[in-house]
Amino acid sequence: MTTLFGLPIQAISGQLLIGLINGSFYALLSLGLAIIFGLLRVINFAHGTQYMLGAVTAWLLLTVLNIGFWPSLVLAPLIVAVAGLLIERLFLRYLYGLDHLYSLLLTFGLALMIEGLMRDGFGAAGKPYSPPALLTGVVNLGFMILPIYRGFVVVASLIACLSVWLLIEKTKLGAYLRAATENSGLVQAFGVNVPKLLTFTYMLGAGLAALAGVLAAPIYQVSPLMGSNLIIIVFAVVVVGGMGSIMGAIVTGYALGLLEGLTKVFYPQASSIVIFVVMAIVLLVRPAGLFGREA
Amino acid sequence: MTEPHPLPHLQVRGLNGWYGESHVLHGVDIDVHEGETVTLLGRNGAGKTSTLRAITGLLKKREGVIKLKGRDLIGLPTYQAARAGIAYVPEERGIFAGLSVAENLTLPPKVAEGGMSVAEIYRLFPNLEERRNSQGTKLSGGEQQMLAMARVLRNGARLLLLDEPTEGLAPVIVQRIGEVLRTLKASGMTILLVEQNFRFARKVADRFYVMEHGRVVDHLTAAEVPDRLASLQTQLGV
Amino acid sequence: MSIATSTPLKTANDALGIGHLVGRALIVLALLALIAAPLAVYPVFLIKILCFALFAAAFNLLVGYVGLLSFGHAAFFGGAAYITAHTVKEWGFTPELGILAGVAFAATLGLVMGFLAIRRQGIYFAMVTLALSQMVYFVFLQAPFTHSEDGIQSVPQGLLFGIIDLSKPLPLYYTVLGAFLLGMVLIWRVVNSPFGNILAAIRENEPRAISLGYEVNRYKLAAFVISAALAGLAGAVKAIAFQLASLVDVTWQMSGEVILMTLLGGIGTLLGPVVGAALVTAMEHYFAATSIPAPVLIGGCFVACVMLFRRGIVGEIRHRLKARSSR
């Protein structure tokens, strides 16, 4: 068996793949957080909840309405985005003029409520969700066996991240978003309906989180608690990357996922804290974050 | 639509405005008629910029009457005031750093037919075309001012609000801005200008309002300026 | 950054903002009530409230008087509980030494976490403290001495100073009350000292404090350490009182709960956190019998407080009294 640093290469590539998959979720989630924070100045604590809701919605669509993975990949994010619309219209909108901490506390409270209700109704135990038939099975890449679905997750999240990047960097709507991030008053004075733009942005971020949740459903078990610790890791990712740059959020997400995977190979005990350690180091060396402009 | 305009293009009556608790506008009255260029003069802190911001709705806490072609703007959200037909060039120019020159230029959505095309704008401001892919804030101060003005010529609004377009710019550029303003005026644009540079304002404006402590304290036409020069200079502290 | 409150400088001097005499009379009344309370209410319940009240007051020192929202205070509360429980149970420390060890641990941890967290401001400060405390959580989860899910159980209560038998409810209650009062007096002293005035100045206008030549970060760090140590005191006392140190007390949910207590009672008021802690503890106690899950209740309170009631109970009372007296 081939080895690297005394470890079988199979094991290393296996952990790297897991790292890459986790990184895909970190990237999608921190991207959404960064977009929401950029424009709304809201730290969306409900982001992990929206990820969970994506997975749970897909599971419910399957079990209750017999709607499969592919339609769910679109439907579940849309449904969660509509829930996001309600949150923005009913609550967040009234907090924009206040200290940012209030919106953090509000979304924290909503996250607790939604997770508590789901746990009550859905049960804390994880539920399995099978990948679609098209993506089951494995391919042998020579140096490792790749389950097709896992490869798909990496590709799908890359496509989603790049699409969002293109949307923001290359379209008219993206130009509005970038401009409003700098000076939303002036963008309004030009006749752009910024309140609507804010709602849309929150929906986009929530939808991205839900997309990550649907993608995660066949890999992890679907459970009401799947997002609650994840959100804190994603916060650390965001502190490391700095929220000033969309690309920064994406790259940092993948990089930290990989690093976490590598840590699992070489020093498993530290794998759950390695991202926080990186965050501490970045705070010492470059407090504004790797890609950050201090907000 | 076809009847002659009994009302001014922009009518401001008894306008009061507040930043938080501080009361900055105390009953401002201003008329700007169709095709006219009117300048607000006054020292720093007299309330000129606040008046413009109150008209656009950026100054949210306001009372009184602001009518654009007879339509009351108070109570409308900022973006709807703009859509009623206002082209706004803010102080400090407000160029977006995260956008290229071309993106800055095409950012404001059209609010009415009849705005300039991008090609026409580039003809008026050739520098901007050369630099269209640069980051907006990498332009020189003069170019940024041109961009800030060019930006709102596309949107078709017929009322232009200009806040200190000449501030901190070299005389050559100021002259160029004067030419652009005269071109716009010739095209029938209604212009409300805030300006500290009286020499510049004198060359472009038809009428003047002098503001002090959030009130209009004086009003004169271009023809009256020579007789009133001395008193104006004390009022403006120039 | 300024969360919530108005009137920074005078607040603490005057706990309710209703004049010194009335205020003092109220404090004396409250003290008498606390001393007599075990006659009416089950001491264990009171002890729980006092521990959380001290925890919330420690947290409030930071958010209310320096304007720093820590989302990681459970690390100090639960961390100190672990250290106290371990030193008392495994190393045979006396209760007072065990509590001291817990407080020292919390202060040291506060120094490290504070040093890192004050490098960022505002919303980032909250995120950094949250992430760091989550790291602490994982360390405790994996460290063998904490017995992970089981926690450190049946911690011996022993004799405080060799004489006070803490296994009896009343001596235990008055010991906890003593620790609570000690903490409150310390907080009151800090807030009303020249040091406290500088903290208030930082909260109101940090750039101005910097331009006046204050080394803002040192003051912030000092406040962070004091707050962490007092949160640790609360956790340490709780470990002795309930003979238990568990993972629950180091989770981010616990950090959230202390925020809620403070928010509900009134950020930046001396008595607010105490009122909030009593209310949240009582609420959890009574709702435990119903079918409403605790997180839903806590979350709902958060939403209600943020949307409708940002001054908190004590803050609201103070505001109304002030509005009336200025009329």
Side-chain angles (χ1 to χ4, degrees), chain C residues 88 95 155-160 164-167 240:
Chain C
V88 169
V155 178
Q157 289 173 310
L159 296 175
L160 184 74
I164 304 170
D165 184 358
L166 294 182
S167 61
I240 295 280

Side-chain angles (χ1 to χ4, degrees), chain A residues 168-274:
Chain A
I168 289 172
E169 293 298 324
K170 301 293 170 199
T171 67
K172 189 69 193 253
L173 181 66
Y176 287 155
L177 280 173
R178 277 176 286 142
T181 298
E182 280 180 53
N183 184 346
S184 70
L186 184 54
V187 174
Q188 285 207 67
F190 286 155
V192 178
N193 187 340
V194 171
K196 216 176 186 176
L197 201 60
L198 296 175
T199 311
F200 167 78
T201 305
Y202 191 75
M203 291 174 72
L204 177 64
L208 279 172
L211 177 68
V214 181
L215 289 173
I219 296 181
Y220 307 113
Q221 304 246 301
V222 177
S223 119
L225 302 177
M226 63 194 286
S228 68
N229 284 335
L230 185 63
I231 181 67
I232 302 175
I233 298 178
V234 175
F235 277 178
V237 171
V238 161
V239 173
V240 171
M243 280 195 279
S245 128
I246 298 297
M247 209 34 132
I250 299 173
V251 172
T252 313
Y254 283 105
L256 288 180
L258 280 173
L259 182 70
E260 199 183 35
L262 273 180
T263 315
K264 263 184 202 136
V265 181
F266 293 105
Y267 191 57
Q269 296 88 330
S271 63
S272 55
I273 62 167
V274 62

Side-chain angles (χ1 to χ4, degrees), chain C residues 30-47 50 168-177:
Chain C
L31 265 179
L32 288 175
L34 281 173
I35 290 169
L39 296 174
V41 189
Y42 198 41
V44 177
F45 184 59
L46 289 172
I47 289 172
L50 286 179
K168 300 235 166 67
L170 279 183
L172 181 64
Y173 171 74
Y174 289 113
T175 303
V176 175
L177 180 60

Side-chain angles (χ1 to χ4, degrees), chain B residues 83-158:
Chain B
R83 289 181 188 177
I86 293 177
Y88 176 51
V89 181
E91 64 177 340
E92 317 276 316
R93 295 146 203 155
I95 301 303
F96 297 103
L99 273 64
S100 69
V101 169
E103 283 177 322
N104 263 290
L105 183 63
T106 55
L107 188 81
K110 291 209 161 131
V111 298
E113 291 306 312
M116 288 188 182
S117 70
V118 174
E120 281 170 321
I121 287 174
Y122 281 145
R123 222 169 298 137
L124 198 58
F125 304 97
N127 290 13
L128 296 183
E129 183 164 22
E130 285 164 33
R131 307 283 311 266
R132 66 176 179 274
N133 291 321
S134 321
Q135 190 189 331
T137 45
K138 293 270 160 70
L139 298 181
S140 70
E143 286 170 324
Q144 287 192 32
Q145 187 60 53
M146 299 294 175
L147 176 55
M149 290 170 64
R151 186 161 63 174
V152 291
L153 300 181
R154 264 183 66 258
N155 74 347
R158 303 299 297 158

